Amino acid sequence: VCIHRVRSCSSIRFIKSKYVCVFDKSALKFSHQQRLFRTSAVSCGQIVQFKLSDIGEGITEVTVKEWYVKEGDSVSQFDSICEVQSDKASVTITSRYDGIIRKLHYSIDDIAFVGKPLVDIEIDASKGVASEEDVVETPPMSHEEHTHQEIKGHKTLATPAVRRLAMENNIKLSEVVGTGKDNRILKEDILNYLAKQTGAILPPSPKAEIVPPQRRAEAVPAAPKDKARKIPVPVSRPIAFAGKDKTEPVTGFQKAMVKTMSAALKIPHFGYSDEIDLTQLVQLREELKAVAEMRGVKLSFMPFFIKAASLGLLQYPILNASLDENCQNVTYKASHNIGVAMDTEQGLIVPNVKNVQVCSVFDIAVELNRLQSLGSAGQLGTSDLTGGTFTLSNIGTIGGTYAKPVILPPEVAIGALGKIQVLPRFNSKGEVVKAQIMNVSWSADHRIIDGATMARFSNLWKSYLENPASMLLDLK
């Protein structure tokens, strides 16, 4: 209680005058004497323990990778609080509270448990305490991946960075038309909306830049330099050894690999290998690369491999199935969610391209670009890493010709692609010609897949890639 003015009082005695004051009873005996004081009450906020709610997929613990706030910071609804990493994906935790951060319960790299307090937030007591459902988990923050936001009952797709940009410019996301996938709002949409309001002229997006053919021809001599960069460079400085053993816990994607590969050991694998002549596909890709770049997309061989696999799965759906734990029922998957193994700083991850059976080669390339960007940044969401039905591992990008891939349960088949090599081969006339050769190694669950089925699928997949024009007949 703050005492601003005292008109009369029989006696006043201060004990630790800065905090406590004791008054004679006569000063408070009668109601009219109470008017001798002008006071103002300081309302205290209520501390709410912001708990980590269930993220799903059976996850019970996560690793705190980054804090976006510190003690004493003010937060508003939808502000990012921290990023956590499970054994499946990175997740950004956002808030629905307007308040002040009073305590962080974990440090960087600590293990946080579902249902336990994550942070303490002081909120206005007059607004009441929100329920535990107010803890909001959103997919990881990135420029490419969207998160969900509720605005007056309307679901808007936008990243935290885009929401922050809109907030800084006093723009309501509900008034912006999104041009991204599923009408998500991109940074360019905010800038274009702002330009319409202010009359400013924005520079064109770098992705929309069209490279003239002349410039591409001039850039051809630089290709040998690019190849030279890929040659491994030996370590120039001596490696320092600490001389002591170091023990670290198995966390994140490494923990996921332990669980998955332990389950995979229960599957009786069998392998099948073949070589593919990609000479025609190499020529086709070279012709289409410039067209894809004009659309802002990098076109690799993988979209063709994925689409050809999907066309093959239409003929051999048993390879796009799953077997239950008791080996009593086989579930044939309607969607072709084809996973692509990626090597990242966090370890091996396998995001998947959803519904390949209804995607064009260009659509697959766009999605792969997105997944690769997020994978390199460690920002892949749970939805990107789950739900796979079939997998391709392009080990050839690192090196090697053959591999023995391990099936990812509950899938029943996986393929490993070797590097493309220029090798001599005989053509139909018996002449030695230069051919672009790639080797493929398949692994399948021998409980429900036999060798003949795997060989027929591989032959069909091979025919699509060796004669890419034939894919036109079966494209949807």
Side-chain angles (χ1 to χ4, degrees), residues 47-338:
I47 302 296
V48 177
Q49 287 192 328
F50 190 102
K51 295 181 180 180
L52 179 64
S53 62
D54 187 8
I55 297 176
E57 300 293 333
I59 296 171
T60 59
E61 61 183 44
V62 295
T63 303
V64 178
K65 303 303 294 183
E66 183 177 0
W67 285 106
Y68 299 123
V69 296
K70 60 181 181 297
E71 294 181 2
D73 283 356
S74 297
V75 293
S76 301
Q77 295 183 28
F78 305 111
D79 282 355
S80 298
I81 298 230
C82 67
E83 179 182 338
V84 299
Q85 185 181 73
S86 69
D87 57 1
K88 297 182 182 295
S90 296
V91 179
T92 298
I93 307 299
T94 62
S95 174
R96 268 193 176 170
Y97 298 130
D98 293 332
I100 301 173
I101 301 295
R102 290 306 183 194
K103 181 180 179 181
L104 306 180
H105 285 268
Y106 301 98
S107 301
I108 299 296
D109 292 331
D110 281 356
I111 301 298
F113 297 92
V114 170
K116 299 296 182 181
L118 195 62
V119 296
D120 289 351
I121 303 179
E122 181 181 337
I123 65 173
D124 190 346
S126 63
K127 295 181 180 179
V129 180
S131 62
E132 290 187 8
E133 285 78 2
D134 287 336
V135 181
V136 180
E137 279 88 8
T138 65
M141 182 173 59
S142 70
H143 293 288
E144 299 294 335
E145 185 166 345
H146 62 269
T147 55
H148 294 267
Q149 173 181 338
E150 297 286 345
I151 300 180
K152 295 182 179 179
H154 176 70
K155 182 174 287 186
T156 303
L157 304 182
T159 64
V162 171
R163 294 200 301 267
R164 188 174 295 109
L165 178 63
M167 181 179 63
E168 291 173 354
N169 292 278
N170 296 321
I171 297 175
K172 294 182 179 179
L173 291 181
S174 57
E175 299 177 356
V176 181
V177 178
T179 60
K181 185 178 180 180
D182 297 327
N183 296 322
R184 60 175 172 173
I185 298 176
L186 308 178
K187 179 181 178 182
E188 291 77 10
D189 299 329
I190 298 294
L191 296 178
N192 290 332
Y193 181 87
L194 187 62
K196 292 179 181 179
Q197 300 297 318
T198 60
I201 300 177
L202 297 178
S205 172
K207 291 185 178 180
E209 182 180 357
I210 299 177
V211 182
Q214 293 81 0
R215 289 176 58 187
R216 289 180 53 81
E218 295 171 0
V220 171
K225 294 183 179 179
D226 295 336
K227 292 184 178 180
R229 293 195 190 103
K230 296 181 180 179
I231 299 176
V233 180
V235 179
S236 58
R237 61 180 184 277
I239 300 176
F241 293 96
K244 296 181 180 179
D245 295 342
K246 184 173 65 172
T247 302
E248 295 181 349
V250 178
T251 60
F253 296 130
Q254 287 183 331
K255 181 177 289 188
M257 187 183 297
V258 170
K259 295 179 180 179
T260 304
M261 294 300 100
S262 297
L265 286 177
K266 301 177 183 179
I267 300 174
H269 287 58
F270 82 91
Y272 177 85
S273 299
D274 200 359
E275 73 170 33
I276 320 294
D277 186 347
L278 298 180
T279 304
Q280 293 187 37
L281 181 61
V282 170
Q283 296 174 355
L284 176 63
R285 174 179 171 264
E286 283 299 319
E287 296 174 3
L288 297 178
K289 274 177 62 178
V291 178
E293 288 180 3
M294 290 179 182
R295 301 183 185 182
V297 174
K298 179 181 178 182
L299 181 64
S300 64
F301 290 104
M302 186 55 74
F304 297 97
F305 299 154
I306 292 175
K307 188 60 184 180
S310 177
L311 294 175
L313 293 177
L314 291 173
Q315 301 297 322
Y316 300 95
I318 187 64
L319 297 176
N320 195 61
S322 64
L323 185 65
D324 65 4
E325 294 183 0
N326 298 324
C327 300
Q328 299 296 319
N329 299 289
V330 177
T331 301
Y332 294 86
K333 304 292 185 179
S335 298
H336 296 173
N337 299 338
I338 299 182

Side-chain angles (χ1 to χ4, degrees), residues 368-409:
L368 277 179
N369 281 204
R370 185 185 74 86
L371 294 175
Q372 288 166 349
S373 298
L374 295 178
S376 300
Q379 299 291 336
L380 283 166
T382 304
S383 61
D384 294 322
L385 295 168
T386 56
T389 60
F390 186 88
T391 298
L392 292 177
S393 175
N394 191 9
I395 194 65
T397 56
I398 300 176
T401 307
Y402 299 96
K404 186 179 179 181
V406 180
I407 298 170
L408 299 176

